[in-house]
PDB file of all heavy atoms in Angstrom:
ATOM      1  N   LEU A1407      10.918   8.727 -31.356  1.00 98.00           N
ATOM      2  CA  LEU A1407       9.958   9.741 -31.763  1.00 98.00           C
ATOM      3  C   LEU A1407       9.427   9.416 -33.148  1.00 98.00           C
ATOM      4  O   LEU A1407      10.205   9.170 -34.078  1.00 98.00           O
ATOM      5  CB  LEU A1407      10.616  11.117 -31.760  1.00 98.00           C
ATOM      6  CG  LEU A1407       9.775  12.279 -32.268  1.00 98.00           C
ATOM      7  CD1 LEU A1407       8.582  12.518 -31.358  1.00 98.00           C
ATOM      8  CD2 LEU A1407      10.639  13.537 -32.370  1.00 98.00           C
ATOM      9  N   VAL A1408       8.115   9.422 -33.280  1.00 98.00           N
ATOM     10  CA  VAL A1408       7.480   9.136 -34.558  1.00 98.00           C
ATOM     11  C   VAL A1408       6.282  10.064 -34.733  1.00 98.00           C
ATOM     12  O   VAL A1408       5.660  10.484 -33.752  1.00 98.00           O
ATOM     13  CB  VAL A1408       7.052   7.651 -34.640  1.00 98.00           C
ATOM     14  CG1 VAL A1408       5.973   7.335 -33.616  1.00 98.00           C
ATOM     15  CG2 VAL A1408       6.597   7.284 -36.041  1.00 98.00           C
ATOM     16  N   GLN A1409       5.968  10.389 -35.965  1.00 97.00           N
ATOM     17  CA  GLN A1409       4.813  11.231 -36.245  1.00 97.00           C
ATOM     18  C   GLN A1409       3.524  10.418 -36.188  1.00 97.00           C
ATOM     19  O   GLN A1409       3.528   9.199 -36.359  1.00 97.00           O
ATOM     20  CB  GLN A1409       4.944  11.871 -37.622  1.00 97.00           C
ATOM     21  CG  GLN A1409       6.125  12.817 -37.761  1.00 97.00           C
ATOM     22  CD  GLN A1409       6.187  13.458 -39.129  1.00 97.00           C
ATOM     23  OE1 GLN A1409       5.162  13.690 -39.773  1.00 97.00           O
ATOM     24  NE2 GLN A1409       7.390  13.755 -39.579  1.00 97.00           N
ATOM     25  N   THR A1410       2.436  11.113 -35.946  1.00 98.00           N
ATOM     26  CA  THR A1410       1.134  10.472 -35.976  1.00 98.00           C
ATOM     27  C   THR A1410       0.937   9.737 -37.300  1.00 98.00           C
ATOM     28  O   THR A1410       1.217  10.277 -38.364  1.00 98.00           O
ATOM     29  CB  THR A1410       0.017  11.497 -35.778  1.00 98.00           C
ATOM     30  OG1 THR A1410       0.144  12.098 -34.481  1.00 98.00           O
ATOM     31  CG2 THR A1410      -1.354  10.857 -35.895  1.00 98.00           C
ATOM     32  N   GLY A1411       0.474   8.495 -37.203  1.00 98.00           N
ATOM     33  CA  GLY A1411       0.288   7.671 -38.385  1.00 98.00           C
ATOM     34  C   GLY A1411       1.486   6.831 -38.751  1.00 98.00           C
ATOM     35  O   GLY A1411       1.389   5.964 -39.623  1.00 98.00           O
ATOM     36  N   GLY A1412       2.598   7.062 -38.103  1.00 98.00           N
ATOM     37  CA  GLY A1412       3.808   6.317 -38.389  1.00 98.00           C
ATOM     38  C   GLY A1412       3.851   4.982 -37.683  1.00 98.00           C
ATOM     39  O   GLY A1412       2.905   4.578 -37.003  1.00 98.00           O
ATOM     40  N   SER A1413       4.979   4.304 -37.842  1.00 98.00           N
ATOM     41  CA  SER A1413       5.145   2.961 -37.300  1.00 98.00           C
ATOM     42  C   SER A1413       6.458   2.830 -36.557  1.00 98.00           C
ATOM     43  O   SER A1413       7.449   3.510 -36.860  1.00 98.00           O
ATOM     44  CB  SER A1413       5.119   1.921 -38.425  1.00 98.00           C
ATOM     45  OG  SER A1413       3.884   1.917 -39.106  1.00 98.00           O
ATOM     46  N   LEU A1414       6.455   1.941 -35.589  1.00 98.00           N
ATOM     47  CA  LEU A1414       7.652   1.540 -34.878  1.00 98.00           C
ATOM     48  C   LEU A1414       7.558   0.052 -34.580  1.00 98.00           C
ATOM     49  O   LEU A1414       6.460  -0.487 -34.435  1.00 98.00           O
ATOM     50  CB  LEU A1414       7.815   2.292 -33.555  1.00 98.00           C
ATOM     51  CG  LEU A1414       8.258   3.749 -33.580  1.00 98.00           C
ATOM     52  CD1 LEU A1414       8.178   4.329 -32.170  1.00 98.00           C
ATOM     53  CD2 LEU A1414       9.669   3.876 -34.127  1.00 98.00           C
ATOM     54  N   ARG A1415       8.701  -0.590 -34.475  1.00 98.00           N
ATOM     55  CA  ARG A1415       8.739  -1.966 -34.023  1.00 98.00           C
ATOM     56  C   ARG A1415       9.605  -2.055 -32.782  1.00 98.00           C
ATOM     57  O   ARG A1415      10.807  -1.772 -32.824  1.00 98.00           O
ATOM     58  CB  ARG A1415       9.273  -2.916 -35.099  1.00 98.00           C
ATOM     59  CG  ARG A1415       9.122  -4.387 -34.687  1.00 98.00           C
ATOM     60  CD  ARG A1415       9.593  -5.354 -35.745  1.00 98.00           C
ATOM     61  NE  ARG A1415      11.044  -5.417 -35.833  1.00 98.00           N
ATOM     62  CZ  ARG A1415      11.714  -6.416 -36.407  1.00 98.00           C
ATOM     63  NH1 ARG A1415      11.045  -7.434 -36.953  1.00 98.00           N
ATOM     64  NH2 ARG A1415      13.029  -6.387 -36.457  1.00 98.00           N
ATOM     65  N   LEU A1416       8.989  -2.451 -31.690  1.00 98.00           N
ATOM     66  CA  LEU A1416       9.709  -2.650 -30.451  1.00 98.00           C
ATOM     67  C   LEU A1416      10.200  -4.087 -30.361  1.00 98.00           C
ATOM     68  O   LEU A1416       9.534  -5.011 -30.820  1.00 98.00           O
ATOM     69  CB  LEU A1416       8.818  -2.347 -29.248  1.00 98.00           C
ATOM     70  CG  LEU A1416       8.135  -0.979 -29.209  1.00 98.00           C
ATOM     71  CD1 LEU A1416       7.375  -0.811 -27.905  1.00 98.00           C
ATOM     72  CD2 LEU A1416       9.155   0.143 -29.393  1.00 98.00           C
ATOM     73  N   SER A1417      11.357  -4.257 -29.756  1.00 98.00           N
ATOM     74  CA  SER A1417      11.919  -5.579 -29.540  1.00 98.00           C
ATOM     75  C   SER A1417      12.173  -5.794 -28.061  1.00 98.00           C
ATOM     76  O   SER A1417      12.529  -4.867 -27.337  1.00 98.00           O
ATOM     77  CB  SER A1417      13.235  -5.745 -30.304  1.00 98.00           C
ATOM     78  OG  SER A1417      13.038  -5.622 -31.699  1.00 98.00           O
ATOM     79  N   CYS A1418      12.001  -7.012 -27.630  1.00 96.00           N
ATOM     80  CA  CYS A1418      12.296  -7.413 -26.265  1.00 96.00           C
ATOM     81  C   CYS A1418      13.184  -8.644 -26.338  1.00 96.00           C
ATOM     82  O   CYS A1418      12.733  -9.712 -26.769  1.00 96.00           O
ATOM     83  CB  CYS A1418      11.003  -7.715 -25.502  1.00 96.00           C
ATOM     84  SG  CYS A1418      11.247  -8.387 -23.845  1.00 96.00           S
ATOM     85  N   VAL A1419      14.430  -8.495 -25.946  1.00 95.00           N
ATOM     86  CA  VAL A1419      15.397  -9.578 -26.002  1.00 95.00           C
ATOM     87  C   VAL A1419      15.616 -10.126 -24.600  1.00 95.00           C
ATOM     88  O   VAL A1419      15.881  -9.368 -23.662  1.00 95.00           O
ATOM     89  CB  VAL A1419      16.729  -9.114 -26.604  1.00 95.00           C
ATOM     90  CG1 VAL A1419      17.727 -10.268 -26.644  1.00 95.00           C
ATOM     91  CG2 VAL A1419      16.514  -8.564 -28.006  1.00 95.00           C
ATOM     92  N   ALA A1420      15.523 -11.435 -24.465  1.00 91.00           N
ATOM     93  CA  ALA A1420      15.647 -12.094 -23.175  1.00 91.00           C
ATOM     94  C   ALA A1420      16.956 -12.853 -23.070  1.00 91.00           C
ATOM     95  O   ALA A1420      17.459 -13.408 -24.050  1.00 91.00           O
ATOM     96  CB  ALA A1420      14.484 -13.049 -22.947  1.00 91.00           C
ATOM     97  N   SER A1421      17.488 -12.895 -21.859  1.00 90.00           N
ATOM     98  CA  SER A1421      18.641 -13.724 -21.556  1.00 90.00           C
ATOM     99  C   SER A1421      18.385 -14.455 -20.245  1.00 90.00           C
ATOM    100  O   SER A1421      17.705 -13.937 -19.356  1.00 90.00           O
ATOM    101  CB  SER A1421      19.922 -12.895 -21.470  1.00 90.00           C
ATOM    102  OG  SER A1421      19.830 -11.922 -20.440  1.00 90.00           O
ATOM    103  N   GLY A1422      18.929 -15.662 -20.134  1.00 82.00           N
ATOM    104  CA  GLY A1422      18.678 -16.470 -18.962  1.00 82.00           C
ATOM    105  C   GLY A1422      17.351 -17.207 -19.079  1.00 82.00           C
ATOM    106  O   GLY A1422      16.454 -16.781 -19.808  1.00 82.00           O
ATOM    107  N   GLY A1423      17.235 -18.327 -18.384  1.00 73.00           N
ATOM    108  CA  GLY A1423      16.014 -19.096 -18.440  1.00 73.00           C
ATOM    109  C   GLY A1423      15.799 -19.748 -19.804  1.00 73.00           C
ATOM    110  O   GLY A1423      16.646 -19.675 -20.690  1.00 73.00           O
ATOM    111  N   THR A1424      14.658 -20.374 -19.937  1.00 74.00           N
ATOM    112  CA  THR A1424      14.260 -20.965 -21.206  1.00 74.00           C
ATOM    113  C   THR A1424      13.149 -20.098 -21.762  1.00 74.00           C
ATOM    114  O   THR A1424      11.973 -20.274 -21.436  1.00 74.00           O
ATOM    115  CB  THR A1424      13.802 -22.410 -21.022  1.00 74.00           C
ATOM    116  OG1 THR A1424      14.833 -23.170 -20.390  1.00 74.00           O
ATOM    117  CG2 THR A1424      13.484 -23.044 -22.372  1.00 74.00           C
ATOM    118  N   PHE A1425      13.528 -19.164 -22.602  1.00 72.00           N
ATOM    119  CA  PHE A1425      12.598 -18.132 -23.027  1.00 72.00           C
ATOM    120  C   PHE A1425      11.396 -18.693 -23.764  1.00 72.00           C
ATOM    121  O   PHE A1425      10.290 -18.149 -23.657  1.00 72.00           O
ATOM    122  CB  PHE A1425      13.327 -17.108 -23.897  1.00 72.00           C
ATOM    123  CG  PHE A1425      12.484 -15.936 -24.284  1.00 72.00           C
ATOM    124  CD1 PHE A1425      12.044 -15.030 -23.334  1.00 72.00           C
ATOM    125  CD2 PHE A1425      12.128 -15.730 -25.608  1.00 72.00           C
ATOM    126  CE1 PHE A1425      11.273 -13.942 -23.688  1.00 72.00           C
ATOM    127  CE2 PHE A1425      11.357 -14.643 -25.975  1.00 72.00           C
ATOM    128  CZ  PHE A1425      10.928 -13.747 -25.013  1.00 72.00           C
ATOM    129  N   SER A1426      11.592 -19.753 -24.508  1.00 71.00           N
ATOM    130  CA  SER A1426      10.498 -20.319 -25.285  1.00 71.00           C
ATOM    131  C   SER A1426       9.357 -20.823 -24.414  1.00 71.00           C
ATOM    132  O   SER A1426       8.245 -21.017 -24.909  1.00 71.00           O
ATOM    133  CB  SER A1426      11.003 -21.445 -26.185  1.00 71.00           C
ATOM    134  OG  SER A1426      11.544 -22.504 -25.416  1.00 71.00           O
ATOM    135  N   ARG A1427       9.581 -21.013 -23.132  1.00 82.00           N
ATOM    136  CA  ARG A1427       8.560 -21.513 -22.218  1.00 82.00           C
ATOM    137  C   ARG A1427       7.920 -20.405 -21.391  1.00 82.00           C
ATOM    138  O   ARG A1427       7.208 -20.684 -20.419  1.00 82.00           O
ATOM    139  CB  ARG A1427       9.142 -22.593 -21.314  1.00 82.00           C
ATOM    140  CG  ARG A1427       9.701 -23.781 -22.096  1.00 82.00           C
ATOM    141  CD  ARG A1427      10.218 -24.874 -21.206  1.00 82.00           C
ATOM    142  NE  ARG A1427       9.161 -25.539 -20.457  1.00 82.00           N
ATOM    143  CZ  ARG A1427       9.344 -26.522 -19.600  1.00 82.00           C
ATOM    144  NH1 ARG A1427      10.577 -26.975 -19.381  1.00 82.00           N
ATOM    145  NH2 ARG A1427       8.319 -27.060 -18.957  1.00 82.00           N
ATOM    146  N   TYR A1428       8.157 -19.167 -21.767  1.00 88.00           N
ATOM    147  CA  TYR A1428       7.573 -18.025 -21.067  1.00 88.00           C
ATOM    148  C   TYR A1428       6.545 -17.334 -21.937  1.00 88.00           C
ATOM    149  O   TYR A1428       6.782 -17.065 -23.116  1.00 88.00           O
ATOM    150  CB  TYR A1428       8.653 -17.011 -20.687  1.00 88.00           C
ATOM    151  CG  TYR A1428       9.480 -17.407 -19.497  1.00 88.00           C
ATOM    152  CD1 TYR A1428      10.508 -18.336 -19.607  1.00 88.00           C
ATOM    153  CD2 TYR A1428       9.239 -16.828 -18.250  1.00 88.00           C
ATOM    154  CE1 TYR A1428      11.259 -18.694 -18.501  1.00 88.00           C
ATOM    155  CE2 TYR A1428       9.993 -17.177 -17.148  1.00 88.00           C
ATOM    156  CZ  TYR A1428      11.003 -18.111 -17.278  1.00 88.00           C
ATOM    157  OH  TYR A1428      11.757 -18.451 -16.185  1.00 88.00           O
ATOM    158  N   GLY A1429       5.399 -17.048 -21.330  1.00 92.00           N
ATOM    159  CA  GLY A1429       4.488 -16.121 -21.952  1.00 92.00           C
ATOM    160  C   GLY A1429       5.027 -14.708 -21.787  1.00 92.00           C
ATOM    161  O   GLY A1429       5.694 -14.408 -20.797  1.00 92.00           O
ATOM    162  N   VAL A1430       4.756 -13.858 -22.748  1.00 94.00           N
ATOM    163  CA  VAL A1430       5.300 -12.506 -22.737  1.00 94.00           C
ATOM    164  C   VAL A1430       4.194 -11.493 -22.982  1.00 94.00           C
ATOM    165  O   VAL A1430       3.336 -11.694 -23.845  1.00 94.00           O
ATOM    166  CB  VAL A1430       6.414 -12.342 -23.791  1.00 94.00           C
ATOM    167  CG1 VAL A1430       6.899 -10.898 -23.841  1.00 94.00           C
ATOM    168  CG2 VAL A1430       7.575 -13.271 -23.474  1.00 94.00           C
ATOM    169  N   GLY A1431       4.233 -10.421 -22.227  1.00 96.00           N
ATOM    170  CA  GLY A1431       3.293  -9.337 -22.407  1.00 96.00           C
ATOM    171  C   GLY A1431       3.996  -8.015 -22.616  1.00 96.00           C
ATOM    172  O   GLY A1431       5.143  -7.825 -22.198  1.00 96.00           O
ATOM    173  N   TRP A1432       3.303  -7.115 -23.281  1.00 98.00           N
ATOM    174  CA  TRP A1432       3.731  -5.731 -23.404  1.00 98.00           C
ATOM    175  C   TRP A1432       2.766  -4.857 -22.615  1.00 98.00           C
ATOM    176  O   TRP A1432       1.547  -4.996 -22.746  1.00 98.00           O
ATOM    177  CB  TRP A1432       3.755  -5.269 -24.860  1.00 98.00           C
ATOM    178  CG  TRP A1432       4.926  -5.756 -25.655  1.00 98.00           C
ATOM    179  CD1 TRP A1432       4.969  -6.839 -26.477  1.00 98.00           C
ATOM    180  CD2 TRP A1432       6.224  -5.158 -25.715  1.00 98.00           C
ATOM    181  NE1 TRP A1432       6.205  -6.961 -27.049  1.00 98.00           N
ATOM    182  CE2 TRP A1432       7.008  -5.940 -26.600  1.00 98.00           C
ATOM    183  CE3 TRP A1432       6.812  -4.042 -25.119  1.00 98.00           C
ATOM    184  CZ2 TRP A1432       8.337  -5.633 -26.893  1.00 98.00           C
ATOM    185  CZ3 TRP A1432       8.130  -3.751 -25.410  1.00 98.00           C
ATOM    186  CH2 TRP A1432       8.872  -4.535 -26.280  1.00 98.00           C
ATOM    187  N   PHE A1433       3.328  -3.962 -21.823  1.00 98.00           N
ATOM    188  CA  PHE A1433       2.566  -2.990 -21.061  1.00 98.00           C
ATOM    189  C   PHE A1433       3.113  -1.604 -21.352  1.00 98.00           C
ATOM    190  O   PHE A1433       4.241  -1.464 -21.817  1.00 98.00           O
ATOM    191  CB  PHE A1433       2.647  -3.286 -19.558  1.00 98.00           C
ATOM    192  CG  PHE A1433       2.028  -4.600 -19.162  1.00 98.00           C
ATOM    193  CD1 PHE A1433       2.711  -5.790 -19.345  1.00 98.00           C
ATOM    194  CD2 PHE A1433       0.757  -4.637 -18.614  1.00 98.00           C
ATOM    195  CE1 PHE A1433       2.147  -7.002 -18.986  1.00 98.00           C
ATOM    196  CE2 PHE A1433       0.177  -5.849 -18.247  1.00 98.00           C
ATOM    197  CZ  PHE A1433       0.873  -7.029 -18.440  1.00 98.00           C
ATOM    198  N   ARG A1434       2.328  -0.596 -21.074  1.00 98.00           N
ATOM    199  CA  ARG A1434       2.812   0.768 -21.284  1.00 98.00           C
ATOM    200  C   ARG A1434       2.306   1.679 -20.185  1.00 98.00           C
ATOM    201  O   ARG A1434       1.258   1.446 -19.591  1.00 98.00           O
ATOM    202  CB  ARG A1434       2.385   1.299 -22.651  1.00 98.00           C
ATOM    203  CG  ARG A1434       0.887   1.491 -22.821  1.00 98.00           C
ATOM    204  CD  ARG A1434       0.560   1.878 -24.250  1.00 98.00           C
ATOM    205  NE  ARG A1434      -0.867   2.106 -24.436  1.00 98.00           N
ATOM    206  CZ  ARG A1434      -1.439   2.322 -25.609  1.00 98.00           C
ATOM    207  NH1 ARG A1434      -0.692   2.349 -26.718  1.00 98.00           N
ATOM    208  NH2 ARG A1434      -2.744   2.525 -25.692  1.00 98.00           N
ATOM    209  N   GLN A1435       3.074   2.734 -19.940  1.00 98.00           N
ATOM    210  CA  GLN A1435       2.708   3.708 -18.931  1.00 98.00           C
ATOM    211  C   GLN A1435       2.793   5.100 -19.536  1.00 98.00           C
ATOM    212  O   GLN A1435       3.887   5.637 -19.712  1.00 98.00           O
ATOM    213  CB  GLN A1435       3.614   3.605 -17.706  1.00 98.00           C
ATOM    214  CG  GLN A1435       3.177   4.496 -16.560  1.00 98.00           C
ATOM    215  CD  GLN A1435       3.884   4.166 -15.264  1.00 98.00           C
ATOM    216  OE1 GLN A1435       4.954   3.559 -15.265  1.00 98.00           O
ATOM    217  NE2 GLN A1435       3.280   4.547 -14.157  1.00 98.00           N
ATOM    218  N   PRO A1436       1.639   5.686 -19.860  1.00 97.00           N
ATOM    219  CA  PRO A1436       1.642   7.066 -20.363  1.00 97.00           C
ATOM    220  C   PRO A1436       2.065   8.028 -19.264  1.00 97.00           C
ATOM    221  O   PRO A1436       1.957   7.713 -18.072  1.00 97.00           O
ATOM    222  CB  PRO A1436       0.183   7.296 -20.773  1.00 97.00           C
ATOM    223  CG  PRO A1436      -0.410   5.924 -20.902  1.00 97.00           C
ATOM    224  CD  PRO A1436       0.299   5.101 -19.881  1.00 97.00           C
ATOM    225  N   PRO A1437       2.522   9.214 -19.631  1.00 95.00           N
ATOM    226  CA  PRO A1437       2.932  10.190 -18.614  1.00 95.00           C
ATOM    227  C   PRO A1437       1.801  10.494 -17.645  1.00 95.00           C
ATOM    228  O   PRO A1437       0.682  10.809 -18.053  1.00 95.00           O
ATOM    229  CB  PRO A1437       3.298  11.426 -19.439  1.00 95.00           C
ATOM    230  CG  PRO A1437       3.665  10.890 -20.781  1.00 95.00           C
ATOM    231  CD  PRO A1437       2.755   9.717 -20.996  1.00 95.00           C
ATOM    232  N   GLY A1438       2.082  10.382 -16.367  1.00 96.00           N
ATOM    233  CA  GLY A1438       1.110  10.709 -15.344  1.00 96.00           C
ATOM    234  C   GLY A1438      -0.031   9.726 -15.185  1.00 96.00           C
ATOM    235  O   GLY A1438      -0.985  10.014 -14.459  1.00 96.00           O
ATOM    236  N   LYS A1439       0.051   8.567 -15.830  1.00 97.00           N
ATOM    237  CA  LYS A1439      -1.027   7.595 -15.763  1.00 97.00           C
ATOM    238  C   LYS A1439      -0.520   6.249 -15.273  1.00 97.00           C
ATOM    239  O   LYS A1439       0.681   6.014 -15.173  1.00 97.00           O
ATOM    240  CB  LYS A1439      -1.695   7.446 -17.132  1.00 97.00           C
ATOM    241  CG  LYS A1439      -2.337   8.716 -17.654  1.00 97.00           C
ATOM    242  CD  LYS A1439      -3.012   8.494 -18.992  1.00 97.00           C
ATOM    243  CE  LYS A1439      -3.657   9.761 -19.504  1.00 97.00           C
ATOM    244  NZ  LYS A1439      -4.313   9.550 -20.820  1.00 97.00           N
ATOM    245  N   GLU A1440      -1.455   5.361 -14.994  1.00 97.00           N
ATOM    246  CA  GLU A1440      -1.115   4.032 -14.529  1.00 97.00           C
ATOM    247  C   GLU A1440      -0.632   3.167 -15.680  1.00 97.00           C
ATOM    248  O   GLU A1440      -0.999   3.370 -16.844  1.00 97.00           O
ATOM    249  CB  GLU A1440      -2.332   3.375 -13.873  1.00 97.00           C
ATOM    250  CG  GLU A1440      -2.869   4.097 -12.654  1.00 97.00           C
ATOM    251  CD  GLU A1440      -1.934   4.001 -11.475  1.00 97.00           C
ATOM    252  OE1 GLU A1440      -1.184   3.010 -11.372  1.00 97.00           O
ATOM    253  OE2 GLU A1440      -1.947   4.922 -10.642  1.00 97.00           O
ATOM    254  N   ARG A1441       0.190   2.187 -15.358  1.00 97.00           N
ATOM    255  CA  ARG A1441       0.633   1.239 -16.355  1.00 97.00           C
ATOM    256  C   ARG A1441      -0.540   0.368 -16.795  1.00 97.00           C
ATOM    257  O   ARG A1441      -1.354  -0.061 -15.975  1.00 97.00           O
ATOM    258  CB  ARG A1441       1.760   0.375 -15.799  1.00 97.00           C
ATOM    259  CG  ARG A1441       2.416  -0.522 -16.831  1.00 97.00           C
ATOM    260  CD  ARG A1441       3.809  -0.926 -16.400  1.00 97.00           C
ATOM    261  NE  ARG A1441       3.824  -1.592 -15.114  1.00 97.00           N
ATOM    262  CZ  ARG A1441       4.923  -1.872 -14.426  1.00 97.00           C
ATOM    263  NH1 ARG A1441       6.106  -1.526 -14.914  1.00 97.00           N
ATOM    264  NH2 ARG A1441       4.839  -2.485 -13.262  1.00 97.00           N
ATOM    265  N   GLU A1442      -0.615   0.094 -18.089  1.00 98.00           N
ATOM    266  CA  GLU A1442      -1.737  -0.628 -18.640  1.00 98.00           C
ATOM    267  C   GLU A1442      -1.276  -1.718 -19.601  1.00 98.00           C
ATOM    268  O   GLU A1442      -0.203  -1.645 -20.190  1.00 98.00           O
ATOM    269  CB  GLU A1442      -2.684   0.330 -19.375  1.00 98.00           C
ATOM    270  CG  GLU A1442      -2.048   1.005 -20.580  1.00 98.00           C
ATOM    271  CD  GLU A1442      -2.958   2.030 -21.237  1.00 98.00           C
ATOM    272  OE1 GLU A1442      -3.981   2.401 -20.628  1.00 98.00           O
ATOM    273  OE2 GLU A1442      -2.640   2.465 -22.363  1.00 98.00           O
ATOM    274  N   PHE A1443      -2.130  -2.692 -19.767  1.00 98.00           N
ATOM    275  CA  PHE A1443      -1.857  -3.804 -20.659  1.00 98.00           C
ATOM    276  C   PHE A1443      -1.968  -3.373 -22.112  1.00 98.00           C
ATOM    277  O   PHE A1443      -2.837  -2.576 -22.472  1.00 98.00           O
ATOM    278  CB  PHE A1443      -2.844  -4.938 -20.383  1.00 98.00           C
ATOM    279  CG  PHE A1443      -2.803  -6.049 -21.395  1.00 98.00           C
ATOM    280  CD1 PHE A1443      -1.759  -6.953 -21.422  1.00 98.00           C
ATOM    281  CD2 PHE A1443      -3.817  -6.180 -22.330  1.00 98.00           C
ATOM    282  CE1 PHE A1443      -1.718  -7.976 -22.348  1.00 98.00           C
ATOM    283  CE2 PHE A1443      -3.791  -7.200 -23.261  1.00 98.00           C
ATOM    284  CZ  PHE A1443      -2.732  -8.101 -23.272  1.00 98.00           C
ATOM    285  N   VAL A1444      -1.103  -3.928 -22.955  1.00 98.00           N
ATOM    286  CA  VAL A1444      -1.135  -3.652 -24.381  1.00 98.00           C
ATOM    287  C   VAL A1444      -1.372  -4.922 -25.186  1.00 98.00           C
ATOM    288  O   VAL A1444      -2.323  -5.016 -25.959  1.00 98.00           O
ATOM    289  CB  VAL A1444       0.167  -2.977 -24.859  1.00 98.00           C
ATOM    290  CG1 VAL A1444       0.119  -2.741 -26.365  1.00 98.00           C
ATOM    291  CG2 VAL A1444       0.392  -1.667 -24.115  1.00 98.00           C
ATOM    292  N   ALA A1445      -0.505  -5.910 -25.027  1.00 98.00           N
ATOM    293  CA  ALA A1445      -0.590  -7.134 -25.823  1.00 98.00           C
ATOM    294  C   ALA A1445       0.150  -8.244 -25.111  1.00 98.00           C
ATOM    295  O   ALA A1445       1.027  -8.001 -24.290  1.00 98.00           O
ATOM    296  CB  ALA A1445      -0.006  -6.913 -27.225  1.00 98.00           C
ATOM    297  N   ALA A1446      -0.194  -9.483 -25.445  1.00 97.00           N
ATOM    298  CA  ALA A1446       0.470 -10.632 -24.845  1.00 97.00           C
ATOM    299  C   ALA A1446       0.491 -11.782 -25.831  1.00 97.00           C
ATOM    300  O   ALA A1446      -0.348 -11.872 -26.734  1.00 97.00           O
ATOM    301  CB  ALA A1446      -0.230 -11.052 -23.552  1.00 97.00           C
ATOM    302  N   ILE A1447       1.443 -12.691 -25.619  1.00 95.00           N
ATOM    303  CA  ILE A1447       1.591 -13.848 -26.488  1.00 95.00           C
ATOM    304  C   ILE A1447       2.039 -15.036 -25.657  1.00 95.00           C
ATOM    305  O   ILE A1447       2.887 -14.915 -24.773  1.00 95.00           O
ATOM    306  CB  ILE A1447       2.577 -13.549 -27.641  1.00 95.00           C
ATOM    307  CG1 ILE A1447       2.603 -14.688 -28.663  1.00 95.00           C
ATOM    308  CG2 ILE A1447       3.981 -13.267 -27.103  1.00 95.00           C
ATOM    309  CD1 ILE A1447       3.310 -14.305 -29.961  1.00 95.00           C
ATOM    310  N   ALA A1448       1.448 -16.191 -25.928  1.00 91.00           N
ATOM    311  CA  ALA A1448       1.828 -17.422 -25.252  1.00 91.00           C
ATOM    312  C   ALA A1448       3.188 -17.906 -25.741  1.00 91.00           C
ATOM    313  O   ALA A1448       3.674 -17.489 -26.796  1.00 91.00           O
ATOM    314  CB  ALA A1448       0.769 -18.499 -25.490  1.00 91.00           C
ATOM    315  N   TRP A1449       3.799 -18.820 -24.988  1.00 81.00           N
ATOM    316  CA  TRP A1449       5.142 -19.242 -25.362  1.00 81.00           C
ATOM    317  C   TRP A1449       5.192 -19.976 -26.687  1.00 81.00           C
ATOM    318  O   TRP A1449       6.234 -19.976 -27.350  1.00 81.00           O
ATOM    319  CB  TRP A1449       5.815 -20.034 -24.231  1.00 81.00           C
ATOM    320  CG  TRP A1449       5.338 -21.442 -23.968  1.00 81.00           C
ATOM    321  CD1 TRP A1449       4.927 -22.385 -24.869  1.00 81.00           C
ATOM    322  CD2 TRP A1449       5.300 -22.086 -22.688  1.00 81.00           C
ATOM    323  NE1 TRP A1449       4.624 -23.560 -24.240  1.00 81.00           N
ATOM    324  CE2 TRP A1449       4.847 -23.407 -22.888  1.00 81.00           C
ATOM    325  CE3 TRP A1449       5.598 -21.674 -21.386  1.00 81.00           C
ATOM    326  CZ2 TRP A1449       4.683 -24.321 -21.843  1.00 81.00           C
ATOM    327  CZ3 TRP A1449       5.440 -22.575 -20.337  1.00 81.00           C
ATOM    328  CH2 TRP A1449       4.990 -23.879 -20.575  1.00 81.00           C
TER     329      TRP A1449
END
């Protein structure tokens, strides 16, 4: 929970595979809505 104007840092930790060779994306799903793209990064 954060107030409007505040900041958060999300982390995604991977195990298994060779993570450095995977592209990674962030998606989000607001309440009652479809999941949507947020950001992505190449390996």
Side-chain angles (χ1 to χ4, degrees):
L1407 175 65
V1408 65
Q1409 297 182 31
T1410 297
S1413 298
L1414 285 173
R1415 188 178 75 161
L1416 306 184
S1417 298
C1418 174
V1419 180
S1421 61
T1424 304
F1425 185 67
S1426 62
R1427 301 183 68 181
Y1428 283 79
V1430 176
W1432 283 96
F1433 296 79
R1434 66 186 182 187
Q1435 186 167 21
K1439 298 182 180 180
E1440 299 290 332
R1441 188 158 57 190
E1442 63 184 13
F1443 170 74
V1444 178
I1447 187 167
W1449 73 36

